[in-house]
Amino acid sequence: LAVVLFVVGLYPVAYTASTALLALDSDAVAAATLAVVQGVESERDIALLEEASETEFLAEHILAVRARRQGHVETAIERYAALIESRPRNAEVLTNYANLLFGNGDDKDAVEYYERSAALIDSPRLMFNLSQANARLFKIEEFEAALRSAQAIDTDAVAELSRVGDADFVADLAFPLTTLGTRLLTTARANRMS
């Protein structure tokens, strides 16, 4: 009986996983995006994403992430700026763009983008980053307020970020895998209906 219950319990998980894998076969942009997330992208994946980036937010977004990862700061800034034009309320994009500005010494603009992002989400990383930018601008009250906000959200995360001990350190928000997952499930549903 225990084995039967175990198998019955695993069925939904296995079904969802197989559905997502099948969706990857029919959505080349999603498959290429996942390859970049995993760091195993091919030249073909990048060419496909470059072509799709003209019309697909997902493709442009992952290419911005990749440019940042590879140290192509100016390209990453350009890509993130374009993303903000099309999605001005995407907190991950706003925050990571602000991180690039901060890294380039453009602290005032970085604070502006961190604050725009902070109006959208509660994130200890984001508030830590805002505190770092305010500290560099010698805005002590704002620095302390942002750091208190970050600690109120997640004390342990802030302690870990603070252990880095670098006044120039800011932490990127992770690429939103839920967006990719939602896309794969939507593709899978469409495939089943056709």
Side-chain angles (χ1 to χ4, degrees):
L1 180 62
V3 171
V4 170
L5 290 174
F6 180 72
V7 170
V8 168
L10 278 182
Y11 176 76
V13 173
Y15 180 77
T16 302
S18 67
T19 301
L21 287 174
L22 290 173
L24 272 176
D25 287 340
S26 61
D27 188 339
V29 171
T33 298
L34 184 58
V36 173
V37 167
Q38 295 173 332
V40 295
E41 70 272 17
S42 67
E43 288 181 28
R44 183 174 170 267
D45 291 327
I46 299 308
L48 185 132
L49 290 168
E50 287 287 355
E51 184 179 324
S53 69
E54 307 260 335
T55 58
E56 294 233 25
F57 176 80
L58 182 66
E60 181 64 22
H61 191 177
I62 197 64
L63 287 171
V65 169
R66 182 175 186 265
R68 168 112 163 108
R69 257 194 223 158
Q70 293 186 331
H72 303 296
V73 175
E74 291 307 316
T75 300
I77 287 173
E78 290 170 12
R79 287 192 182 278
Y80 273 108
L83 290 167
I84 290 169
E85 287 292 317
S86 68
R87 303 276 171 93
R89 297 185 49 81
N90 184 305
E92 185 270 332
V93 169
L94 290 166
T95 300
N96 292 347
Y97 181 66
N99 288 349
L100 289 162
L101 296 175
F102 180 83
N104 270 0
D106 193 353
D107 302 332
K108 284 183 181 180
D109 284 341
V111 166
E112 175 191 334
Y113 284 97
Y114 288 138
E115 288 175 345
R116 283 177 57 184
S117 185
L120 302 171
I121 63 167
D122 287 329
S123 164
R125 284 176 173 244
L126 162 61
M127 296 310 293
F128 174 83
N129 295 348
L130 178 57
S131 74
Q132 292 284 81
N134 280 320
R136 265 206 334 210
L137 291 169
F138 298 103
K139 293 182 170 184
I140 302 308
E141 288 179 23
E142 291 88 343
F143 156 75
E144 290 173 346
L147 193 56
R148 275 193 307 274
S149 293
Q151 290 169 331
I153 298 166
D154 188 338
T155 305
D156 293 336
V158 176
E160 188 173 319
L161 293 168
S162 297
R163 273 194 277 282
V164 173
D166 182 353
D168 295 328
F169 173 74
V170 289
D172 281 355
L173 297 186
F175 183 81
L177 291 175
T178 53
T179 302
L180 183 57
T182 300
R183 179 176 173 137
L184 289 173
L185 290 176
T186 301
T187 300
R189 283 188 203 113
N191 288 347
R192 267 190 301 203
M193 297 178 126
S194 60

